Every structure is written in C-alpha cells, then in structure tokens.
C-alpha cells in the first residue's frame, strides 16, 4: 500500500468522498496531498488515505473541521475521542435503565393489569434520562434559556425558522450544497444553533443527535422540514468554513 498512489478522481471513486470535498479539505489544509504528478496533479499516498479515514471517522462524531484538524495535528486525539465516548456511554446507561423500567411495566401489566404510580413515575424519569440530552446538558440549556429571557430566546427561534425556510427553498430548487449561497446558509444556521445553545458544543451535538434520531420535523416540532435538513447536512458534509 505504501507504494500506491491515487489521483483525486481515483481516491474519490474508491472512498465515496466527492472530488469537491477532497479539494475543500486541501484548501483548508486538512488533507494536503503529499505528492504531485509530473503534470502537477494532486497525488495521494497511503499516508494520505489513512489521514482521510481519520478525518471521516471524526466527522461522523460531529466534530467541527477545525477541531478535527487540531486533533490530528498535534492535539490530544485521545481526549477528543474520550469526550465523545463519555457522552455515548451516558446515553447507553440511560437506555439500559429505560429498558429495565419498561420490562417492569410490561410484567406489571401481565400480572395485575395496571402498573403502579411509582412505576410510571420512575419510567418517565428514565425516559428523560435516556434522551439525547444528559442531565448536565439539560441544566445548562435551561440556564441559558433563563439567562436570555423569553424575548431573546424567541428571537433565536425566529431566526432559525427563517433559515429553515431558506434551506427548504434551496432544497426545492435543487441548489448544489457546495454552492456559496448554501454554504453561507449552512454557516448562518450553525451560528444560530450555537447561539441558542450558548456556544456549548455538547448541547449542539445533542440537538443534532435528536434531529437525526427522531427526524427533523418531529424533533423540531415542524420548524425544520426533512428536505431542508437533508440539504443542510449535505452542506455540512462538504465542510463549510465557519466565519468565511
């Protein structure tokens, strides 16, 4: 493998990553081909392929491209993965507790036909804990909401609603997610979500996890349509540069 080389089109075809995305990774310094052909074309080596794998794996964890770059270039990759792993493990604990409570309810229904009030309350608590937000995240999000007040929070939601409508219109028109207008829209959407979450990345990650798990329309109570979310996700996948 060390001796093999890939042109950009060959690597795109082999990995399923678009040529546009590979070029964007190169432009922002995230994945720069180690070599060039005699004609000056990008040539990727085995080490480049390994780095691309790490980039894609970290992107699946919803890490911003800037944080991915820091992790790969001298940052503490283990600490980054550790934080993500902690979040997943907390959710698994909640899911296991919910599973136990639900089994108890099912057994109570079979035995007596009606679960006790205590069982219902305990199960509802487990349902909350098994959600996409940890108790700490929920507490921080509620504190952020209280700090903003109803008027400011409503302003953020109104902004998100307008951006969701723009995304739906772009999706209906079939605009390329790499188009500058869609990239700018994705950047503004990301900023608005971060603003609503008070800049807390773990809360932002939980918000997106809820949208992915429940579906855009159900998770946002109809604010964000499925086509709009799919279009925004494709724009995120291209890798827009925040602040550009």
């Amino acid at each position: 493998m060390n001796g093999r080389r890939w042109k950009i089109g060959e690597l795109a075809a082999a990995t399923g990553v678009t040529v546009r995305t590979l070029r964007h990774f190169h432009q922002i310094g995230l994945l720069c081909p180690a070599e060039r052909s005699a004609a000056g074309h990008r040539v990727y080596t085995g080490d480049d392929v390994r780095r691309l794998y790490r980039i894609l794996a970290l992107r699946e964890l919803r890490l911003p491209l800037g944080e991915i770059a820091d992790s790969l270039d001298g940052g503490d990759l283990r600490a980054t993965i550790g934080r993500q792993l902690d979040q997943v493990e907390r959710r698994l604990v909640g899911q296991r507790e919910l599973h136990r409570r639900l089994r108890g309810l099912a057994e109570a229904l079979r035995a007596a036909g009606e679960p006790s009030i205590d069982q219902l309350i305990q199960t509802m608590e487990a349902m909350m804990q098994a959600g996409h937000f940890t108790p700490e995240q929920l507490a921080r999000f509620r504190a952020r909401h209280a700090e903003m007040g109803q008027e400011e929070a409503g302003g953020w939601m109104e902004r998100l609603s307008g951006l969701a409508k723009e995304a739906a219109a772009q999706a209906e028109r079939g605009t390329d997610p790499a188009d500058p207008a869609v990239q700018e829209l994705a950047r503004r959407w990301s900023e608005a979500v971060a603003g609503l979450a008070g800049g807390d990345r773990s809360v932002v990650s939980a918000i997106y996890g809820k949208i992915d798990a429940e579906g855009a329309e159900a998770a946002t109570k109809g604010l964000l349509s499925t086509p709009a979310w799919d279009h925004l996700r494709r724009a995120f996948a291209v890798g827009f540069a925040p602040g550009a």
Side-chain angles (χ1 to χ4, degrees):
M1 181 174 177
N2 288 336
R4 185 174 176 183
R5 302 293 183 267
W6 291 261
K7 295 180 181 177
I8 189 169
E10 293 171 340
L11 184 60
T15 62
V17 179
T18 66
V19 169
R20 187 184 295 271
T21 297
L22 290 173
R23 285 175 176 159
H24 180 69
F25 286 170
H26 184 208
Q27 289 170 356
I28 64 175
L30 188 58
L31 180 66
C32 299
E35 298 178 6
R36 292 269 182 172
S37 68
H41 299 300
R42 299 179 181 91
V43 177
Y44 294 85
T45 66
D47 287 340
D48 294 325
V49 174
R50 293 187 185 94
R51 183 177 175 89
L52 176 60
Y53 171 81
R54 293 179 179 176
I55 292 168
L56 297 179
L58 291 173
R59 196 173 65 175
E60 283 298 309
L61 298 177
R62 304 185 186 283
L63 295 179
L65 291 180
E67 190 168 336
I68 290 175
D70 291 342
S71 297
L72 295 179
D73 298 329
D76 192 342
L77 180 58
R78 284 180 294 184
T80 300
I81 298 299
R83 288 194 298 270
Q84 297 291 323
L85 182 59
D86 286 343
Q87 291 183 26
V88 172
E89 288 177 342
R90 284 196 295 268
R91 290 175 188 150
L92 286 174
V93 169
Q95 292 290 346
R96 285 193 290 268
E97 177 63 16
L98 177 58
H99 179 263
R100 187 177 71 83
R101 297 292 183 185
L102 289 173
R103 285 181 64 90
L105 284 180
E107 291 171 2
L109 285 170
R110 284 194 296 268
E114 188 69 28
S116 70
I117 295 299
D118 285 343
Q119 284 178 310
L120 289 174
I121 291 174
Q122 290 169 354
T123 301
M124 283 190 287
E125 290 175 349
M127 289 171 66
M128 291 293 294
Q129 294 170 359
H132 299 282
F133 295 87
T134 66
E136 295 83 3
Q137 289 170 337
L138 282 172
R140 291 198 299 271
F141 188 68
R142 288 166 181 161
R144 165 65 173 163
H145 194 163
E147 177 187 339
M148 289 190 295
Q150 199 67 28
E151 184 175 349
E152 185 179 350
W156 281 109
M157 293 305 298
E158 185 176 349
R159 180 179 176 186
L160 282 169
S161 178
L163 293 171
K165 290 176 182 177
E166 284 187 47
Q170 295 285 12
E172 185 175 357
R173 286 195 289 268
T175 310
D176 188 335
D179 184 275
V182 181
Q183 289 288 292
E184 172 63 14
L185 172 62
R187 183 188 65 78
R188 287 187 286 132
W189 170 271
S190 181
E191 286 182 350
V193 171
L196 187 64
D200 190 322
R201 288 184 176 180
S202 69
V203 171
V204 171
S205 178
I207 290 172
Y208 286 148
K210 180 179 177 67
I211 292 174
D212 280 340
E214 299 179 6
E217 296 180 19
T220 64
K221 308 300 182 185
L223 181 145
L224 183 65
S225 70
T226 299
W229 176 237
D230 288 344
H231 212 60
L232 284 170
R233 286 190 64 183
R234 291 173 62 197
F236 295 154
V238 173
F240 71 93

